[in-house]
Amino acid sequence: MKAKTLKKDKVNIITLGCSKNLVDSEVLSGQLAANDIDVVHENAKLDHNIVVVNTCGFIDKAKEESINTILDQVELKRRGKLDKVYVTGCLSERYRGDLEAEMPEVDAWFGTLELPLILKQFEADYKAELLGERMLSTPKHYAYLKIAEGCNRTCSFCAIPLMRGKHISRSIEDLVAEAESLVQKGVKEIMLIAQELTYYGLDLYKERALPKLLDALADVKGIEWIRLHYAYPSKFPLEILEVMQRRDNICKYLDMPLQHASNRMLKAMRRNITREEMSELIHQIKAAVPGICLRTTLIAGFPGETEEDVEELKAFLQEHRFDRVGIFSYSHEENTSAYDLVDDVPADVKAARAQEIMEVQQEISYEKNQEKVGKIFKVLIDKKEAGRYLGRTEFDSVEVDNEVVIHSTKKLPIGEFVQVKITKAYDYDLEGEVVV
């Protein structure tokens, strides 16, 4: 009679929300793999027996997606397809008590900073020597580099500090070591992320140290593009611009969420900056780094927002002509200071205002893209899809910005750079051909 062999655990990690969550999932994967546990991301084969859902709790839509994903996994467990369901991330951090009561089928809940506790569920050890070691879930030629955790800002609409805590910078030495490790894996582009890049170093070095970090990372051999995400406009460290202009491998690209342009709204949002100060900063950035691509994000329908505020925001976009704009409808979040305000803009009005603002930006984006026709750009090939190649210029980040569509009969290696002449331009995408 044969002895029954125990099937080895296989863990599937599902990541929802932002790139910061993605990095957390990659770190968890790296730790599990180092403990000889079979781990995959977003596994479509369904040949795993354990799931970890890394949730987002930022706004209503994200919370809804997280809850639906957990329910889907609980249903698979109920049908005997899974042995265990674990939940971590921002939603779990913020609403753990309520969720535990509502979803008792989930085996354990974890907050955003409880990686060692998750590993304990697998009888795995947290390996401190693996600092910066991750199992990448992105294509191997690009990766995110999280330079800090948490946020010290007090924006009235934002629940991030409730879920991620205070700002904690990572040391320059650790980040350089991680960047070197990423290069060994084949990474050519690193995207710096934090809730707030420009605050970097204040806790560790008693000064804003992002310029020093950028110089140190730019020295890492093998990194061809360094991209900056989520810079806060108030007290912006202008020294960043000098480094950006001086170092060839720092993309002329800055993601700086402004949220609004009406002084009334900026004050209510507790952004610590006025429209006039933002305008002055934008002029300084464009003067210091000619040709820079500026991306921003905005909020439509904040409590008390009027049609005049919306018109002011549209005029601001037309004045400064941002290269990229994203927009959210305001979400009324518990325990934020804005929660005390009346959420007085109806959902359909919020959506209509967001659409109106994006129509202004769509026209600007189309005009800016038309200016690129006939010009040659260095393009990083991301993937091949439906018989054509898709890539990005240094002015485009992954998933949120323009893509360059390249028709080529010659094979183009994924993850390599090519020179592309732009032949056509649309609202948000470009077409081009490879030039030798």
Side-chain angles (χ1 to χ4, degrees):
M1 194 172 158
K2 282 187 180 174
K4 192 177 176 186
T5 53
L6 284 172
K7 191 180 167 193
K8 195 181 172 195
D9 285 339
K10 184 171 186 178
V11 182
N12 180 34
I13 299 179
I14 300 171
T15 308
L16 304 163
C18 67
S19 49
K20 295 182 283 296
N21 259 15
L22 187 69
V23 171
D24 291 345
S25 291
E26 291 175 347
V27 170
L28 172 60
S29 300
Q31 290 280 344
L32 290 171
N35 280 278
D36 292 324
I37 292 165
D38 199 358
V39 58
V40 285
H41 279 107
E42 315 281 349
N43 185 27
K45 288 183 186 168
L46 298 179
D47 58 352
H48 51 270
N49 66 318
I50 297 174
V51 164
V52 179
V53 184
N54 190 355
T55 57
C56 178
F58 182 43
I59 55 175
D60 287 340
K61 271 187 184 169
K63 288 188 275 193
E64 191 180 325
E65 184 188 14
S66 292
I67 287 166
N68 286 339
T69 303
I70 298 166
L71 289 172
D72 288 346
Q73 301 311 307
V74 161
E75 175 61 17
L76 287 172
K77 182 185 169 188
R78 192 188 63 74
R79 286 164 41 202
K81 306 281 187 189
L82 292 173
D83 296 331
K84 302 272 185 187
V85 175
Y86 298 121
V87 179
T88 183
C90 292
L91 188 82
S92 184
E93 175 77 38
R94 196 171 170 196
Y95 298 108
R96 188 182 326 198
D98 297 338
L99 292 167
E100 278 176 338
E102 285 175 31
M103 299 187 204
E105 305 89 346
V106 170
D107 293 276
W109 301 82
F110 303 96
T112 52
L113 301 173
E114 294 183 332
L115 173 61
L117 293 181
I118 301 176
L119 293 171
K120 263 191 183 167
Q121 296 291 328
F122 299 93
E123 296 177 3
D125 299 320
Y126 176 71
K127 297 181 185 293
E129 70 275 13
L130 287 178
L131 186 72
E133 278 299 315
R134 292 147 50 189
M135 196 167 147
L136 293 183
S137 55
T138 54
K140 70 173 190 178
H141 57 278
Y142 65 78
Y144 296 97
L145 184 64
K146 185 164 24 168
I147 69 169
E149 187 59 86
C151 186
N152 284 14
R153 303 290 182 184
T154 55
C155 303
S156 62
F157 54 83
C158 187
I160 297 290
L162 303 172
M163 300 180 282
R164 290 278 175 179
K166 291 285 187 189
H167 181 101
I168 303 168
S169 302
R170 296 177 58 200
S171 73
I172 290 175
E173 294 74 22
D174 282 356
L175 290 166
V176 167
E178 182 169 348
E180 287 169 344
S181 164
L182 289 170
V183 169
Q184 295 299 313
K185 290 184 167 83
V187 169
K188 296 183 173 70
E189 175 187 17
I190 59 169
M191 290 167 274
L192 304 194
I193 53 168
Q195 197 51 42
E196 213 277 68
L197 283 186
T198 53
Y199 202 88
Y200 175 79
L202 272 172
D203 53 328
L204 268 186
Y205 306 112
K206 308 304 172 222
E207 65 174 358
R208 291 177 185 266
L210 187 57
K212 281 183 185 168
L213 174 63
L214 287 175
D215 255 329
L217 290 173
D219 284 338
V220 175
K221 288 197 166 32
I223 294 179
E224 295 206 37
W225 280 355
I226 297 169
R227 190 179 297 285
L228 276 66
H229 279 286
Y230 320 127
Y232 192 87
S234 176
K235 296 188 173 64
F236 182 90
L238 293 166
E239 305 84 359
I240 295 170
L241 305 173
E242 184 274 324
V243 184
M244 191 181 275
Q245 180 63 5
R246 179 166 46 82
R247 304 302 299 251
D248 287 342
N249 58 351
I250 299 178
C251 295
K252 290 182 168 60
Y253 177 101
L254 185 66
D255 186 341
M256 186 168 64
L258 297 177
Q259 312 305 1
H260 217 287
S262 144
N263 280 332
R264 239 172 44 79
M265 289 293 97
L266 291 167
K267 188 176 180 185
M269 289 177 174
R270 298 190 179 175
R271 293 292 287 165
N272 298 315
I273 197 166
T274 64
R275 172 182 173 158
E276 294 71 27
E277 287 165 340
M278 290 195 314
S279 285
E280 174 61 21
L281 175 59
I282 292 164
H283 290 309
Q284 286 175 304
I285 291 170
K286 288 181 174 179
V289 187
I292 191 170
C293 170
L294 280 180
R295 156 172 267 281
T296 195
T297 43
L298 306 166
I299 294 173
F302 187 83
E305 184 187 64
T306 63
E307 289 296 340
E308 289 73 31
D309 295 319
V310 176
E311 288 307 313
E312 200 172 332
L313 180 48
K314 283 154 65 177
F316 185 81
L317 288 181
Q318 282 162 332
E319 178 188 351
H320 292 293
R321 296 177 63 78
F322 290 89
D323 299 84
R324 318 275 182 256
V325 172
I327 190 154
F328 292 96
S329 290
Y330 171 73
S331 180
H332 208 45
E333 296 297 318
E334 304 99 324
N335 300 319
T336 61
S337 56
Y339 197 66
D340 296 336
L341 304 172
V342 180
D343 187 13
D344 56 357
V345 181
D348 59 336
V349 176
K350 287 177 187 172
R353 287 178 182 177
Q355 178 64 26
E356 214 179 298
I357 290 159
M358 278 315 291
E359 280 169 12
V360 171
Q361 179 57 29
Q362 190 173 355
E363 200 171 313
I364 293 167
S365 181
Y366 178 76
E367 288 165 5
K368 281 182 165 269
N369 277 351
Q370 289 301 320
E371 291 165 11
K372 294 181 171 73
V373 174
K375 293 180 180 170
I376 294 171
F377 293 91
K378 179 181 176 181
V379 170
L380 180 57
I381 304 293
D382 278 334
K383 57 189 168 184
K384 188 177 185 183
E385 213 173 72
R388 59 206 189 141
Y389 291 94
L390 298 175
R392 291 174 292 114
T393 70
E394 73 171 288
F395 309 112
D396 301 293
S397 195
V398 175
E399 292 180 354
V400 292
D401 294 330
N402 286 352
E403 285 184 314
V404 183
V405 179
I406 306 157
H407 301 281
S408 175
T409 50
K410 254 176 66 179
K411 190 177 179 189
L412 303 178
I414 307 301
E416 295 296 330
F417 290 93
V418 292
Q419 295 293 318
V420 174
K421 185 177 184 180
I422 304 303
T423 53
K424 281 185 190 169
Y426 306 94
D427 294 344
Y428 298 117
D429 289 315
L430 304 166
E431 276 190 39
E433 55 196 30
V434 177
V435 292
V436 180

